[in-house]
């Protein structure tokens, strides 16, 4: 077999060697948790000493696995075996995501914990060889405590291979100090629990541009930086929108009453574009482009390659008429969105009044909305009526995409109210 060239971050050394039943890996964004966990499991599952072990990978929304955990695990395979990976592993993406080691027969399957049906399904999991021994819960703060209890329950019975042990691994950003995950694994000392803390500062593999983005965040959004930069427990409160969910839905645009696009330009900040549908008054975000450090030519190439529709209305940041012109020249139906004074707060009120369904492929919008907060007057300890202007690029795209619907409603309402006055 080819020699393994995998590289690890030292922050995870102890956790990778641990056989504790619970490994709780909290950390900042970009600290290396996901890559590390994927590599750790691939190595162990490929090892003959661990024959009979199998891994279940869980995210709240099953469809989110494909671009995250499934991709990370494949990345680990490529890193170990290079182009020879098919000699050692089977990778399948249909009918469901699946990986299997040709050497050990150990396998990896993926599940969600979205509803009663999915919770029931994890109770009847089988593997071609051996038992379910390991569970990796990615973005674990998205799960309910009861979801985790159901999973925990699955790890029981005598294991034939004396090298094997049961283990659950949780990877997550410490979003809130009041989250059950803190109470369950961090406030409670237990010989079965290993906790691990990591930040992007110790990630040997992170690029310079990421550091620069984090430094900007530190200045402009110190609270967010504590959680997403330093990996410290966040404060609850001040969240602007809570009426959104990630859900796997049919993304065929013909099912919506209407749909259009929003596009917020960026280079250091993300360049974010979204496709947003409206159905019975609810919003469905069903496509996302989210790129850093790409100029407009690259963005246009990407939009074309990914077959973003040319004819549909694309509402863009009005501060950048040159970029809008470039989009129009490339054939897109791009227009400047009209920005009125105070319109952001009016848009927030409008967005609050409906349900926002986010397709699992639109992870960045979900991340931004989860941490979008009101500014705080720390002296008086009150929230102000103004959003923290940071990490809000996909949110801007959402506001632009929906603004014409809001204005239409406003016009209709005014007309109706005007009519009332006449009578
Ligand atoms: N062991 C590693 N080897 C190579 N690159 C890594 C490694 N760990 C992290 N990285 C790099 O750092 C980035 C962030 O790591 P990731 O695991 O996604 O962070 P987290 O899950 O903590 O947000 C990855 O996209 C990858 O480029
Ligand atoms: Mg991650």
């Amino acid at each position: 077999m080819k020699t393994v060239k995998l590289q690890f971050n030292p922050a995870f050394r102890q956790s990778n060697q641990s056989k504790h039943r619970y490994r709780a890996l909290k950390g900042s964004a970009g600290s290396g948790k996901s890559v590390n966990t994927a590599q750790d499991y691939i190595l162990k599952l490929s090892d003959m000493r661990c024959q009979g072990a199998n891994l279940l990978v869980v995210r709240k929304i099953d469809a989110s696995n494909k671009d995250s955990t499934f991709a990370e695990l494949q990345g680990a395979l490529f890193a170990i075996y290079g182009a020879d990976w098919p000699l050692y592993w089977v990778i399948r993406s249909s009918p469901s995501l699946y990986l299997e080691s040709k050497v050990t027969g150990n396998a990896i399957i993926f599940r969600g914990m979205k509803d009663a049906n999915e919770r029931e399904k994890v109770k009847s999991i089988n593997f071609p060889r051996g038992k379910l021994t390991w569970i990796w819960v990615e973005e674990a703060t998205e799960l309910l405590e009861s979801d985790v209890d159901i999973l925990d329950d699955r790890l029981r019975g005598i294991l034939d291979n004396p090298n094997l042990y049961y283990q659950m691994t949780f990877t997550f950003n410490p979003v809130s100090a009041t989250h059950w995950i803190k109470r369950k694994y961090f406030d409670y000392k237990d010989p079965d629990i290993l906790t691990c803390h990591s930040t992007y500062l110790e990630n040997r593999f992170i690029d310079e541009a990421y550091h620069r983005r984090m430094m900007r965040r530190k200045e402009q959004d110190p609270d967010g930086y504590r959680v997403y930069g330093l990996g410290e427990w966040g404060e609850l409160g001040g969240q602007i929108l809570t009426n959104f969910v990630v859900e796997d839905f049919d993304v065929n645009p013909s099912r919506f009453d209407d749909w259009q696009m929003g596009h917020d330009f960026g280079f250091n900040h993300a360049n974010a574009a979204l496709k947003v549908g409206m159905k019975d008054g609810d919003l469905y975000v069903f496509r996302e482009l989210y790129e850093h450090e790409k100029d407009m030519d690259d963005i246009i190439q990407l939009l074309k390659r990914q077959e973003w529709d040319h004819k549909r209305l694309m509402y863009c940041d009005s501060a950048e008429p040159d970029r809008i012109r470039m989009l129009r020249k490339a054939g897109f139906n791009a227009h400047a969105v009209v920005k009125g004074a105070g319109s952001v707060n009016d848009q927030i009120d409008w967005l609050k009044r409906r349900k926002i369904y986010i397709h699992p492929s639109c992870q960045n919008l979900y991340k931004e909305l989860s941490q979008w907060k009101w500014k705080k007057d720390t002296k008086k300890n009150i929230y102000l009526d103004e959003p923290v202007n940071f990490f809000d690029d996909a949110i801007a795209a959402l506001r632009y995409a929906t603004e014409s619907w809001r204005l239409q409603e406003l016009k209709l309402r005014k007309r109706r109210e005007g009519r009332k006055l006449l009578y």
Side-chain angles (χ1 to χ4, degrees), residues 67-316:
D67 293 330
S68 60
T69 51
F70 184 59
E72 296 289 8
L73 288 158
Q74 286 183 57
L77 284 182
F78 302 147
I80 301 175
Y81 303 107
D84 287 341
W85 70 263
L87 298 175
Y88 302 99
W89 278 76
V90 177
I91 303 179
R92 239 177 26 214
S93 58
S94 77
S96 51
L97 308 179
Y98 182 77
L99 294 111
E100 188 183 301
S101 162
K102 291 185 176 174
V103 179
T104 60
N106 296 343
I108 307 175
I109 62 166
F110 300 78
R111 290 285 188 276
M113 291 294 271
K114 186 179 62 178
D115 51 29
N117 183 26
E118 289 193 342
R119 278 190 276 274
E120 204 48 44
K121 267 197 343 209
V122 299
K123 294 181 183 164
S124 54
I125 285 173
N126 285 309
F127 289 91
R129 184 184 210 135
K131 293 182 59 162
L132 172 62
T133 52
W134 300 331
I135 301 178
W136 172 18
V137 186
E138 169 77 322
E139 308 294 358
T141 48
E142 293 173 0
L143 269 72
L144 301 174
E145 185 173 4
S146 56
D147 295 338
V148 167
D149 291 340
I150 291 171
L151 294 169
D152 198 352
D153 232 29
R154 297 287 302 119
L155 302 182
R156 57 189 146 102
I158 306 286
L159 293 166
D160 300 334
N161 177 348
N163 290 325
L164 290 186
Y165 50 94
Y166 291 117
Q167 188 168 65
M168 292 179 87
T169 306
F170 306 98
T171 45
F172 60 96
N173 303 127
V175 283
S176 156
T178 59
H179 198 280
W180 60 261
I181 210 163
K182 177 167 182 290
R183 173 176 43 75
K184 207 174 177 84
Y185 301 113
F186 289 81
D187 294 349
Y188 182 71
K189 292 283 165 253
D190 184 314
D192 279 339
I193 302 173
L194 176 102
T195 61
C196 168
H197 174 83
S198 56
T199 77
Y200 76 101
L201 295 164
E202 302 108 51
N203 178 355
R204 295 193 283 141
F205 308 98
I206 207 89
D207 55 289
E208 269 311 302
Y210 195 88
H211 276 270
R212 288 199 299 275
R213 282 208 292 284
M214 278 297 192
M215 282 305 107
R216 273 196 298 278
R217 179 159 204 172
K218 189 177 177 181
E219 299 218 325
Q220 295 171 30
D221 175 20
D223 277 347
Y225 181 75
R226 280 190 45 237
V227 178
Y228 295 96
L230 300 178
E232 289 168 14
W233 293 104
E235 256 184 78
L236 194 72
Q239 193 172 346
I240 297 175
L241 293 179
T242 50
N243 53 327
F244 56 90
V245 287
V246 176
E247 213 171 281
D248 194 10
F249 54 79
D250 175 10
V251 297
N252 185 350
S254 64
R255 62 181 282 260
F256 303 122
D257 301 331
D258 192 10
W259 74 272
Q260 44 201 30
M261 298 183 266
H263 194 157
D264 187 45
F265 302 122
F267 187 79
N268 291 321
H269 287 246
N271 188 103
L274 295 175
K275 289 187 184 178
V276 184
M278 168 91 106
K279 171 110 187 121
D280 304 328
D282 289 333
L283 297 175
Y284 291 81
V285 183
F286 62 102
R287 190 82 187 265
E288 176 183 270
L289 175 109
Y290 199 86
E291 296 287 338
H292 283 103
E293 313 215 340
K294 291 227 159 49
D295 61 29
M296 206 53 207
D297 285 326
D298 295 334
I299 294 291
I300 287 174
Q301 284 318 311
L302 272 174
L303 289 169
K304 285 190 163 172
R305 213 176 317 135
Q306 297 175 8
E307 298 180 349
W308 283 60
D309 314 59
H310 282 210
K311 291 199 197 87
R312 274 280 152 174
L313 274 167
M314 181 187 272
Y315 288 104
C316 307

Side-chain angles (χ1 to χ4, degrees), residues 265 296 300 316-317 320-332 334-336:
F265 302 122
M296 206 53 207
I300 287 174
C316 307
D317 186 355
E320 309 233 27
D322 285 349
R323 300 212 200 188
I324 298 179
R325 259 196 298 279
M326 285 174 78
L327 277 167
R328 293 180 70 89
K329 225 167 147 185
F332 287 91
H335 293 267

Side-chain angles (χ1 to χ4, degrees), residues 7-9 28-35 39 72 203 205-206:
Q7 305 228 53
F8 283 91
N9 271 309
S28 79
S31 74
K33 300 178 293 299
S34 303
V35 171
Q39 293 187 351
E72 296 289 8
N203 178 355
F205 308 98
I206 207 89

